[in-house]
Amino acid sequence: MKNSVLLSWEIRDKNPAQPFTILYGKGQSVEVDGKQTQKLITGLDPDTQYSFLLTNRANSAGGLQHRVTATTAPDILKSKPLIVGKTNADGMVTVQLPTVQTTAKVR
């Protein structure tokens, strides 16, 4: 199972010309249009800590640089949930989820 992180930010300049660059993982990067204020980063590994660096070289002083760290959720669905019993007359069904193999608390 893969995880995603949604990064969002606020910018003061209403008409930024320069694109943003987000660096993360092991040398991965993605470019974002300067007018955007969020980016969904997909295909991340489960139960892994990532550091994201958002940069924008909008001015000669070095521009924006902001770092944030996020940990992705553990892989809780390594197998499909099991259906317990049959569907009742109301259309309800009971499922059993697989056990989670992690020490982190699932929220």
Side-chain angles (χ1 to χ4, degrees):
M1 179 178 190
K2 296 292 181 177
N3 287 269
S4 302
V5 170
L6 178 63
L7 301 174
S8 63
W9 55 90
E10 293 181 13
I11 52 176
R12 291 183 184 161
D13 186 2
K14 299 299 180 192
N15 296 313
Q18 298 292 323
F20 293 99
T21 301
I22 300 172
L23 304 169
Y24 65 98
K26 296 176 182 168
Q28 297 159 293
S29 69
V30 64
E31 222 173 76
V32 182
D33 184 283
K35 296 177 180 142
Q36 299 296 316
T37 58
Q38 63 183 16
K39 178 66 178 173
L40 181 65
I41 309 292
T42 60
L44 302 175
D45 292 326
D47 204 14
T48 305
Q49 185 175 16
Y50 285 90
S51 181
F52 299 92
L53 178 65
L54 175 70
T55 61
N56 179 310
R57 304 288 180 215
N59 60 35
S60 60
L64 170 78
Q65 271 201 356
H66 189 74
R67 182 177 303 272
V68 65
T69 303
T71 302
T72 55
D75 190 0
I76 61 171
L77 292 178
K78 290 187 179 188
S79 60
K80 291 183 180 182
L82 298 172
I83 297 175
V84 179
K86 295 184 179 182
T87 305
N88 65 18
D90 293 335
M92 298 191 57
V93 65
T94 303
V95 296
Q96 180 180 355
L97 297 175
T99 58
V100 178
Q101 302 296 324
T102 184
T103 57
K105 293 181 179 180
V106 178
R107 297 185 278 189

